[in-house]
Amino acid sequence: MNIGKDKSKLTQFIKDNLTIIGFFILMLALHKIMTFIGDDIGYANVLSNQSLTDFISFRYHEWSSRLIIDCITVILAKENYIVWKILDIILYTLGVYLVIKFINKDNNKYVALIGVSLFLMYPFFDMAGAGWIATTLNYLWCFVFAMISFIPLINEINGKKTNIFIYIISILSLFYAVNQEQSCLLILGINTLYLIYCIVKKQDISRFNVLIVIVSALALTMILTTPGNAKRVIVETARYYPEYVNFGIIEKLYLGTIPTIGILLKDKVLFTVFYIILTASALLKTKNKYLKYILYFNIILILFLVFFKTLIDISSIPEYLNIGLMHNPTVVSAFSAVDSISKCIPLIYDTLSLFAYKGLPNAVTGSAVLAVLISIYLILSSCWMIFKTFGKEQMLPLILFIAGFMSRLAAG
């Protein structure tokens, strides 16, 4: 009797979480092919030459405030690559599961499928940029632990109780997440906004919410005062971006805005599909005919931008003309025609060229102003359409979108 019930529960669990299970299996397959590369090799040898205390002291004074992350990175890199793989698969899957759970209150299978699909659209092998362990622990793990730290807050908003075990796990996750600059700002910003909201609305203030604000504020203070961070900025700026030291606040805001939209337009399929789906969703929930005209304009705008950006990208790869088939006169003529089309309207050509970001424009031009206005419009319209799609009851998607953009702006 009990065996039958257990089988029934297991079958139902599999049906309810089929997309997550599929994602987990995919992560198993992808992690199987991962090997030691990049900074992972260096981290693996750290404890062979010095003690963990000496390493952490050096990092604090010379390179980084990410002491908790660095500590775990060198231990995992030295001890066992398999242990990291197991933990990474679990955290990848948990991150997707939590984001979907936070947004998908009704356990809609289509929402879950969309959530997993959006996660998979991220170029997975970018996570090997500085080495698999180094990159995932500094970015993916911080994101997942930040999501875990939000569980009590989400439960409170939804009128649910949180048991003591979840509080403990959330606090431990919080200490890891705030050790990284962007996730620290994300956690501090969201929890501070919620605290202000409770004060303005004269609602009961959660002691856990106050604790998170205090911990993340202290972590941010450490980030800003760690001597290694200041030294690293100097070294990294001189190496990768020497002109940055001459930028004022306007140039830095430009740097934080234009490349963000440029990256989205570069990944044309991802952002175009996202923006069109968002527009279609907002259209279904909008009755005002004037707002509908704006939403139709959004679709025309994104397709227009993508079309011309594609022409510019094609015309900017002349090296292909010197390779094999590209000597063909027909191909050369086609490339020349594309180049002519893309340059026949200088304002559009110059504006969209700015999204490739190869430095700041020498002067304030019509193209530069138009590029900024397009960026602001795409960001603000996305915010409005997310709000229209999910409503007041589900603010997390909008908060995550804004937080993501703000982290890019802060990085600029």
Side-chain angles (χ1 to χ4, degrees):
M1 187 78 174
N2 289 334
I3 295 174
K5 284 185 177 180
D6 290 340
K7 282 185 178 180
S8 178
K9 287 181 180 178
L10 179 61
T11 302
Q12 190 60 45
F13 175 82
I14 292 172
K15 286 182 179 179
D16 291 342
N17 297 280
L18 198 57
T19 51
I20 299 296
I21 293 169
F23 182 84
F24 176 78
I25 294 170
L26 178 61
M27 288 300 106
L28 281 173
L30 289 171
H31 280 72
K32 186 176 176 60
I33 64 175
M34 293 178 185
T35 57
F36 259 56
I37 57 172
D39 292 348
D40 293 350
I41 299 169
Y43 282 120
N45 296 320
V46 164
L47 298 182
S48 300
N49 305 313
Q50 60 185 309
S51 68
L52 184 59
T53 304
D54 289 340
F55 171 71
I56 294 301
S57 176
F58 169 79
R59 298 288 284 190
Y60 175 78
H61 289 98
E62 301 295 331
W63 197 247
S64 174
S65 59
R66 301 178 187 177
L67 306 185
I68 296 173
I69 297 170
D70 286 341
C71 180
I72 297 174
T73 301
V74 296
I75 291 172
L76 284 177
K78 179 176 176 59
E79 290 302 325
N80 200 322
Y81 207 55
I82 298 298
V83 172
W84 165 78
K85 284 188 177 184
I86 293 170
L87 293 173
D88 201 56
I89 291 167
I90 292 170
L91 287 171
Y92 248 113
T93 308
L94 181 60
V96 177
Y97 176 80
L98 286 176
V99 170
I100 291 172
K101 272 293 181 184
F102 288 164
I103 297 171
N104 189 20
K105 290 181 183 179
D106 301 325
N107 295 319
N108 188 304
K109 293 177 182 178
Y110 295 106
V111 173
L113 183 60
I114 291 170
V116 169
S117 299
L118 287 172
F119 231 90
L120 291 176
M121 284 183 186
Y122 181 84
F124 181 78
F125 289 95
D126 274 8
M127 298 303 289
W132 287 108
I133 295 179
T135 307
T136 54
L137 263 70
N138 277 278
Y139 299 101
L140 172 71
W141 287 30
C142 287
F143 166 75
V144 178
F145 286 125
M147 292 299 101
I148 295 172
S149 75
F150 285 133
I151 292 175
L153 181 65
I154 298 296
N155 284 347
E156 181 176 321
I157 292 171
N158 293 331
K160 297 179 180 178
K161 290 186 177 180
T162 304
N163 64 49
I164 188 66
F165 175 75
I166 296 297
Y167 275 120
I168 293 171
I169 295 297
S170 295
I171 291 171
L172 293 175
S173 299
L174 175 68
F175 281 115
Y176 187 99
V178 297
N179 202 219
Q180 200 260 15
E181 299 81 14
Q182 286 170 296
S183 57
C184 179
L185 285 169
L186 176 94
I187 292 168
L188 177 60
I190 291 175
N191 280 277
T192 300
L193 285 173
Y194 182 67
L195 183 61
I196 293 170
Y197 174 82
C198 290
I199 293 171
V200 170
K201 292 291 185 177
K202 297 181 180 180
Q203 295 182 2
D204 292 337
I205 296 173
S206 166
R207 285 178 289 181
F208 187 76
N209 182 212
V210 174
L211 175 64
I212 291 181
V213 171
I214 292 171
V215 170
S216 51
L218 290 173
L220 181 61
T221 302
M222 179 182 173
I223 289 167
L224 295 173
T225 58
T226 296
N229 282 339
K231 292 180 181 179
R232 182 176 182 175
V233 167
I234 295 170
V235 172
E236 298 278 82
T237 302
R239 182 180 178 185
Y240 295 110
Y241 214 154
E243 65 267 35
Y244 184 82
V245 293
N246 299 317
F247 288 177
I249 186 64
I250 300 299
E251 290 87 352
K252 289 177 180 178
L253 287 172
Y254 185 93
L255 178 62
T257 306
I258 296 298
T260 301
I261 299 302
I263 289 170
L264 296 176
L265 291 177
K266 181 182 177 183
D267 298 324
K268 300 174 188 66
V269 174
L270 171 59
F271 185 65
T272 305
V273 171
F274 166 77
Y275 197 79
I276 290 175
I277 289 175
L278 205 54
T279 304
S281 175
L283 269 169
L284 292 173
K285 299 195 175 186
T286 301
K287 295 180 180 179
N288 187 304
K289 68 176 182 178
Y290 298 107
L291 290 177
K292 285 191 174 186
Y293 291 148
I294 294 173
L295 292 168
Y296 291 134
F297 168 76
N298 288 352
I299 295 176
I300 294 170
L301 175 65
I302 194 65
L303 293 176
F304 179 81
L305 292 173
V306 167
F307 173 74
F308 272 94
K309 186 70 169 64
T310 302
L311 290 182
I312 291 171
D313 289 347
I314 290 173
S315 64
S316 66
I317 46 176
E319 64 270 17
Y320 285 169
L321 298 177
N322 299 315
I323 301 174
L325 180 65
M326 295 306 174
H327 285 297
N328 186 298
T330 304
V331 176
V332 173
S333 298
F335 268 80
S336 299
V338 166
D339 189 47
S340 299
I341 292 171
S342 63
K343 290 180 178 177
C344 68
I345 309 177
L347 179 64
I348 294 174
Y349 182 85
D350 293 341
T351 299
L352 292 179
S353 294
L354 290 172
F355 288 118
Y357 191 76
K358 296 178 180 177
L360 297 173
N362 295 323
V364 176
T365 62
S367 296
V369 172
L370 186 57
V372 171
L373 291 176
I374 289 171
S375 299
I376 293 172
Y377 181 80
L378 289 174
I379 292 164
L380 292 180
S381 62
S382 294
C383 288
W384 180 77
M385 290 188 296
I386 290 171
F387 176 78
K388 196 71 178 174
T389 298
F390 291 94
K392 296 179 181 179
E393 296 77 20
Q394 299 187 64
M395 294 295 289
L396 184 64
L398 177 59
I399 290 171
L400 287 177
F401 183 86
I402 294 172
F405 171 71
M406 293 305 294
S407 69
R408 284 283 304 177
L409 190 65

